[in-house]
Amino acid sequence: AVSLALLVGLGWTANKLVYADVVTERVSLEFAEGSGTWRVTSSTKGTLGADGTIRGAGGQGYIETARNSGADALRTWGAEVLDKVLPDAEANGLRVSAGLWMPHSAKFYKECSDLTKDAFWRSEIDRYVTAVRQFKNSSAILWWTVGNEQELEVDVSAGNECVWKRLEQAIQAVKAEDPNHPIGTVLAGVAEPKVRAIEKYSPSVEFLGVNSYGDDALEVGPKLRKWNWTKPFAIMEFGPSGHWASPVTEFGSYIEESSTQKVPRYNATCYSCAEDGQCIGSFAFVWGWKWEKTGTWYNMFNEWKDVTENVTVECPNCESEVMATLEKCWTGKARADLPPSIHGVEVEGEVLPDMSFTVPKKDAVTLEVNATHPLGKEMVAIWAATEEIVSEAIGGAFEATNPLLTGLWEKDPKATTTAGLSVSLNTSDLTPGSMYRLYVFVRQDPASCKGTCHHQEAVASLAFYICHTTQPGDACYGQVAYAMQTGIHAHPQTYPGVTAKSSLEEFQVVLSQKGPGFCPLPCGIRDWCATSVPGEECYGHVRWAMEYGLKQNPELYPWYLQKDGATFEAFQKFVYDKRNGICPKPCAEGSKLPSYSPLSASDKVGVSLPLGLLLGVSAVLRLML
């Protein structure tokens, strides 16, 4: 809490926070010649952070927890929250990496021939400068970051000239208003083209911020040095493997790491930055809670009230187990009260190889979480499930929380949660061919606490699918029977990966993957793929996309297919993902191109289609997208 006296001292009024126009401190980025390291220093406080490296919490809440855990700084993304964050940060002796948000839409980065001409950008620059003028003399300001992943919707690997010229324009304006704090920008990962472009078009950048997750964060420093970047850098968001880089199930759901699997991710990046002389800070993400693809992916606190309140073991604002490892990295000391860990989940007595599974409609599916507590404390697990509704939002945009399902739990069919390390899941009312997500939260049993339990938990999030092997009378059965008895003989090119000797389940997988249609994935087959070969319909479409489509309409293809060396399998995966009924999932997506002869007329669209339809392929591809 912040006292009224403190707010009055800051020049606070009922309308807004205003700081006196008196420069009391200069924050600098200094290079120590002797050690070859960069440090963040203050003209009044000396070296900041841990020997000049900032230990950051990637968020703007839980400020007292950040201080008590050993963090030096918080992070904001836009200036609109600074009037609320800065007083609390000052009261707790924390700094703030203050963000100035730049727009993401590509439409704002098309014309830069005259940087002063555009009325929108004049307004944006005025907005940045106004915010800097209002807050620059707060003792909590660490530095300014202009933009956050502003290149994302233009070209994630390179941006364009206009993006970086606009960035330079903004940084110059901010520096003119506040010469006493460093100014950087924040990228969506590192790639050589955009690092080179920043060197050329944004020379006023004083440090390079990078959002990077999982093992990628460990490569930021080595890559920047390889590209001869000599200024300091900061990891402005780090955490588990990002959803975009994570494996996907055969039914299309992301496979999320458990919190225990995420612990070494956070740990490695925290220590890596501290040991890298060019890294001036790292910010663990997200210091708060948000729904991003799932309810647990990036969160260090659990604000999901449906699973933290009015349940068997309540845990409001529950801390993820990753908090304990961050606290040890930041302070050098382990917590006295450590969290539980999850070592695996069993379904029907089988330990899952990853956090996903398939089950048929069934009255009782046995679930068990294998968890331990480092201090031998008793534990309780809370289970819940949702439909797998995944937002297409990118760049951290808002995503709605999926509601919990009822009718799943044996103890109380009306309940949305159940408790126990081993429970029974009823899938009989779930829909075959549909995707769901199961959550399990492991907490210390309150009966084993001496006094008050530390609100912390281990979490696993599991994608699951209701499989069904087709039977006579199903709509799918007729399609499979036709494919096996007639289709494979008359049009074999349309059934990649199977032959006349293949099983019913294998034909069902092909029809399910090719979709849309009436066939769910069958039970009993999870790992099935088929890289297309010459003569198949899929092969012709993929080769056409590689040799003609990409050249004629590059805007229709993702950036990774436009790079040299994009594989046949990568193109096939792209066509497969569009679910247009042409291609199955390829095998070994990153392997070498299959050998092939020059593209024949029949291969261009598949031998079952007349050559005249070539003229319509571009239009078809546009519909696919």
Side-chain angles (χ1 to χ4, degrees), residues 78-99:
E80 66 279 355
V81 299
L82 290 177
D83 60 341
K84 298 181 179 66
V85 175
L86 290 174
D88 272 347
E90 291 180 351
N92 283 277
L94 294 178
R95 298 283 177 158
V96 176
S97 169

Side-chain angles (χ1 to χ4, degrees), residues 172-196:
Q172 287 188 13
V174 170
K175 197 65 177 180
E177 178 62 37
D178 181 10
N180 296 306
H181 293 96
I183 305 174
T185 191
V186 182
L187 306 180
V190 287
E192 186 174 7
K194 59 186 174 186
V195 172
R196 299 290 188 200

Side-chain angles (χ1 to χ4, degrees), residues 211-224:
N211 295 337
S212 191
Y213 290 82
D215 290 343
D216 289 344
L218 307 179
E219 297 297 320
V220 171
K223 286 182 177 179
L224 289 176

Side-chain angles (χ1 to χ4, degrees), residues 468-483 504 507-509 511-512 517-522:
H468 174 69
T469 300
T470 191
Q471 303 293 326
D474 296 343
C476 173
Y477 189 84
Q479 294 183 335
V480 173
Y482 172 83
L504 178 145
F507 272 93
Q508 185 178 339
V509 169
L511 293 177
S512 177
F518 302 104
C519 286
L521 289 170

Side-chain angles (χ1 to χ4, degrees), residues 190-430:
V190 287
E192 186 174 7
K194 59 186 174 186
V195 172
R196 299 290 188 200
I198 288 172
E199 287 180 318
K200 181 176 181 180
Y201 298 113
S202 308
S204 297
V205 167
E206 295 176 80
F207 71 93
L208 194 63
V210 181
N211 295 337
S212 191
Y213 290 82
D215 290 343
D216 289 344
L218 307 179
E219 297 297 320
V220 171
K223 286 182 177 179
L224 289 176
R225 286 185 284 275
K226 178 181 177 181
W227 304 328
N228 299 316
W229 178 265
T230 58
K231 296 177 183 179
F233 72 91
I235 306 294
M236 296 304 297
E237 292 177 16
F238 74 89
S241 299
H243 58 271
W244 58 88
S246 295
V248 176
T249 67
E250 72 277 18
F251 46 88
S253 287
Y254 294 116
I255 298 176
E256 180 181 350
E257 298 168 324
S258 70
S259 59
T260 305
Q261 292 170 318
K262 294 171 184 176
V263 163
R265 308 287 192 192
Y266 282 94
N267 196 53
T269 303
C270 184
Y271 282 103
S272 174
C273 177
E275 295 166 0
D276 188 319
Q278 203 170 355
C279 186
I280 54 173
S282 61
F283 290 74
F285 186 85
V286 56
W287 194 260
W289 184 88
K290 63 181 298 194
W291 189 284
E292 189 162 355
K293 307 315 169 194
T294 73
T296 53
W297 204 295
Y298 301 100
N299 305 319
M300 276 179 274
F301 297 86
N302 190 348
E303 299 174 10
W304 192 1
K305 292 184 178 181
D306 290 343
V307 297
T308 60
E309 299 181 9
N310 300 314
V311 295
T312 303
V313 179
E314 295 190 332
C315 197
N317 300 326
C318 214
E319 295 179 6
S320 167
E321 67 171 305
V322 302
M323 290 278 290
T325 197
L326 284 173
E327 186 172 320
K328 184 176 182 181
C329 178
W330 289 343
T331 66
K333 299 178 181 179
R335 281 183 177 178
D337 188 5
L338 294 169
S341 296
I342 291 174
H343 304 288
V345 176
E346 296 182 18
V347 176
E348 298 286 60
E350 297 283 338
V351 178
L352 299 176
D354 59 34
M355 293 299 163
S356 71
F357 62 98
T358 63
V359 289
K361 287 166 64 83
K362 194 174 179 181
D363 290 340
V365 177
T366 302
L367 305 174
E368 184 170 352
V369 59
N370 299 324
T372 60
H373 195 287
L375 303 178
K377 302 289 182 67
E378 295 295 321
M379 296 166 292
V380 176
I382 304 298
W383 303 77
T386 69
E387 289 186 73
E388 181 78 319
I389 303 171
V390 180
S391 168
E392 295 183 357
I394 62 173
F398 171 79
E399 299 180 20
T401 300
N402 292 341
L404 299 185
L405 298 174
T406 59
L408 302 180
W409 308 114
E410 183 180 50
K411 293 180 181 178
D412 183 357
K414 295 181 180 180
T416 56
T417 65
T418 193
L421 296 177
S422 179
V423 299
S424 180
L425 171 70
N426 183 348
T427 62
S428 60
D429 289 333
L430 299 183

Side-chain angles (χ1 to χ4, degrees), residues 536-547:
E536 293 178 344
E537 180 181 27
C538 170
Y539 183 85
H541 279 272
V542 175
R543 289 290 313 285
W544 186 91
M546 295 179 71
E547 298 188 13

Side-chain angles (χ1 to χ4, degrees), residues 91-107:
N92 283 277
L94 294 178
R95 298 283 177 158
V96 176
S97 169
L100 301 170
W101 187 265
M102 291 182 71
H104 279 197
S105 176
K107 69 181 181 180

